[in-house]
Amino acid sequence: MTALADAVAAVAAGQGAARAELEALVRIPSISADPNRREDVRASAEATADLLRAHGLESVRLAGVEGSQPYVIGEWMHAPADAPTVLLYAHHDVQPPGVVDNWESDPFEPAERAGRLYGRGSCDDKAGGVAHAHAVSAWLTTSGALPCNVRVLIEGEEEIGSPTLLAFLEAHRDELRSDVLVLADAGNWKVGVPGLTYSLRGLAAADIELRALDGPVHSGMAGGAVPDPVAGLARVLASLVDERGDVAVDGIWDDVRPPTEAERTPIAGLDDDPARFAREIGVRPGVELAGDPATTLHERLWFRPSLTVIGLDAHPIKGSSNQVIARAGARVSLRLVPDQDPERVLAQLRAHVERHVPWGLELRFRALEGAPAWQTDPTGPAFDAARRALRAGFGVDAVMMGVGGSIPFVGPFADAFGGIPALLLGPSDPHSRIHGENESLHLGDWHSLMTSEVHLLAELATQRTI
Ligand SMILES: [Zn+2]
């Protein structure tokens, strides 16, 4: 057997261990957005570091800068001098569970159903970190060496928009220097068909609070004269989208360039059947898809901005009484496309909201995270290597795809090292419900991903100029 075949066999033999390691990580609720979970994020970083060490990575340690949640870094740098250095990225923090009652099983107690492993982080992105570890150890335990140099970086605050990333890159530039970036935080086109992601939308978010009163007042005594801040907020929020659900923030389309012919071309399997897309993602029967019907589905998902109200503060229904409450708030999140500047979008949003606040309600507008979109040209030797590796791992060709989500890390990191290629693959598929309730990982595709990574290290090693 060749060294490559031995490594592929080792990945297959390691599936049981990988599964157990992933389950142990899922049991740690490493929610970076929750200040009460800082200890859990740290515990998750430590467990991740132990995992990397156990799989043969060297100089493994927790790292960070002022105010950051712990990153985990490690490396194996003993390849021949002319071999490239590959940076393997994943993140160990997770999203909050959402509405726990909507989960069919405990979000932090992994459970298998029909070939999928359910649990928060089972897919996004603890599966990515474990996949990297197994691809590395598959080579080390069989050949005693990797075909190229490897650095590993497992971030602890991706799900809150990587707020300290630039400072972290600055402080650890030499330890992270690499020739190609491999991110296992994206996903597959569909179950059994790998994807290579070349476009990500950006992100901008803000809190909008409207206040009418010093404190709540009896609605029988004051209703009809005192304005209801909840109704006022509803008017503002309604003004942010048009009748089709497209973003209607004043001026926001000025910087959106029309998609190219290639971007507009329908993609078989997605646009051919919007009904299937709706079904797969769990849209209720009879609910219409949002967005301009003249655009294809993937255009709407990848190449057009969108707006979502991700949080709402008013009085909960439970325990409510006949009062006009003092204030109401909403957190609004926008997905951005190339050429949109997050700062400018937030300024446009603020100006729009200021113009639409009714009845002189007091407005508090707080801009939150922002990250630009990212797009790359998926050609060249690194992308060729990735296509060959994914074909070897999955048995079918990869689909070049966009993703409507954001990975703020990609652009700044690739730029920091002179525009190195970024290969975005990963464990998710359209059924994974990452960030939602009942997140899950397809275990068969996860194995194929690890196998692809084993091939990818060999493929990249043959590229002297990437
Ligand atoms: Zn992720």
Side-chain angles (χ1 to χ4, degrees):
M1 268 171 59
T2 64
L4 175 60
D6 287 344
V8 166
V11 153
Q15 288 305 293
R19 160 83 176 266
E21 288 158 1
L22 176 59
E23 291 188 358
L25 289 175
V26 170
R27 290 192 181 97
I28 306 171
S30 50
I31 306 165
S32 48
D34 184 346
N36 296 320
R37 294 292 190 184
R38 288 220 150 205
E39 281 310 305
D40 291 305
V41 178
R42 174 155 290 272
S44 158
E46 272 158 9
T48 301
D50 289 344
L51 178 79
L52 297 183
R53 276 183 210 111
H55 283 272
L57 285 148
E58 300 170 358
S59 309
V60 176
R61 62 192 179 88
L62 269 52
V65 290
E66 180 76 30
S68 71
Q69 308 211 42
Y71 294 76
V72 186
I73 54 181
E75 62 182 31
W76 189 93
M77 298 291 286
H78 309 297
D82 57 346
T85 299
V86 180
L87 187 118
L88 304 175
Y89 169 93
H91 62 88
H92 67 88
D93 64 319
V94 298
Q95 286 278 331
V99 181
V100 175
D101 282 350
N102 290 345
W103 284 77
E104 283 174 43
S105 50
D106 186 328
F108 298 105
E109 185 49 55
E112 183 180 343
R113 293 189 288 280
R116 305 188 70 97
L117 187 71
Y118 287 79
R120 176 56 87 227
S122 63
C123 187
D124 181 17
D125 184 29
K126 287 172 173 172
V130 176
H132 290 325
H134 276 258
V136 165
S137 69
W139 281 105
L140 291 180
T141 55
T142 52
S143 299
L146 288 163
C148 47
N149 294 311
V150 163
R151 300 190 198 270
V152 179
L153 171 62
I154 316 286
E155 192 186 353
E157 49 187 19
E158 197 277 339
E159 298 293 9
I160 52 171
S162 306
T164 67
L165 177 66
L166 293 179
F168 182 80
L169 281 178
E170 202 49 53
H172 295 83
R173 187 173 292 264
D174 289 340
E175 296 146 275
L176 298 173
R177 189 172 302 284
S178 38
D179 303 302
V180 57
L181 181 54
V182 176
L183 290 96
D185 190 25
N188 298 314
W189 175 247
K190 61 181 181 183
V191 171
V193 180
L196 198 51
T197 297
Y198 69 94
S199 150
L200 296 164
R201 284 195 291 190
L203 197 62
D207 285 347
I208 299 165
E209 189 191 271
L210 294 182
R211 179 164 192 165
L213 290 154
D214 291 336
V217 296
H218 194 294
S219 63
M221 310 292 284
V226 170
D228 178 4
V230 185
L233 181 65
R235 293 176 74 94
V236 171
L237 296 178
S239 77
L240 298 175
V241 292
D242 67 14
E243 64 287 353
R244 294 183 301 224
D246 267 329
V247 191
V249 175
D250 299 335
I252 207 163
W253 290 89
D254 295 354
D255 299 329
V256 178
R257 65 160 176 81
T260 62
E261 256 336 286
E263 287 166 351
R264 216 190 283 276
T265 305
I267 295 179
L270 180 66
D271 293 304
D272 287 357
D273 193 355
R276 186 175 66 202
F277 166 81
R279 213 166 40 243
E280 283 185 350
I281 213 153
V283 176
R284 300 295 295 168
V287 175
E288 295 167 18
L289 293 181
D292 183 349
T295 58
T296 64
L297 192 52
H298 79 268
E299 245 180 289
R300 283 183 245 173
L301 296 172
W302 306 341
F303 303 122
R304 287 166 67 84
S306 67
L307 181 144
T308 311
V309 179
I310 61 168
L312 205 53
D313 282 350
H315 199 295
I317 293 175
K318 195 172 174 194
S320 61
S321 62
N322 287 319
Q323 299 184 85
V324 180
I325 63 170
R327 60 177 121 194
R331 179 162 295 175
V332 171
S333 163
L334 287 130
R335 296 290 177 173
L336 313 179
V337 294
D339 299 336
Q340 282 189 296
D341 168 24
E343 300 286 318
R344 185 166 141 82
V345 165
L346 287 169
Q348 289 167 327
L349 178 65
R350 181 196 289 265
H352 177 105
V353 168
E354 282 168 353
R355 270 195 297 277
H356 285 79
V357 172
W359 318 316
L361 295 170
E362 279 178 23
L363 167 67
R364 242 191 75 216
F365 183 98
R366 197 161 69 93
L368 304 168
E369 60 186 344
W374 173 83
Q375 205 165 30
T376 192
D377 174 14
T379 58
F383 287 94
D384 292 343
R387 272 187 280 267
R388 285 194 298 270
L390 287 166
R391 165 139 202 118
F394 284 80
V396 294
D397 285 332
V399 173
M400 297 295 113
M401 57 190 277
V403 165
S406 315
I407 309 176
F409 174 84
V410 184
F413 194 94
D415 292 347
F417 297 104
I420 59 172
L423 305 173
L424 275 66
L425 27 92
S428 71
D429 65 70
H431 296 285
S432 293
R433 299 201 175 183
I434 59 168
H435 296 198
E437 291 129 5
N438 299 305
E439 174 181 347
S440 70
L441 168 76
H442 188 282
L443 290 163
D445 279 358
W446 192 41
H447 178 193
S448 302
L449 175 69
M450 290 184 217
T451 307
S452 301
E453 276 202 39
V454 164
H455 283 273
L456 182 57
L457 294 175
E459 290 281 356
L460 291 171
T462 67
Q463 310 294 322
R464 286 298 176 261
T465 32
I466 292 176

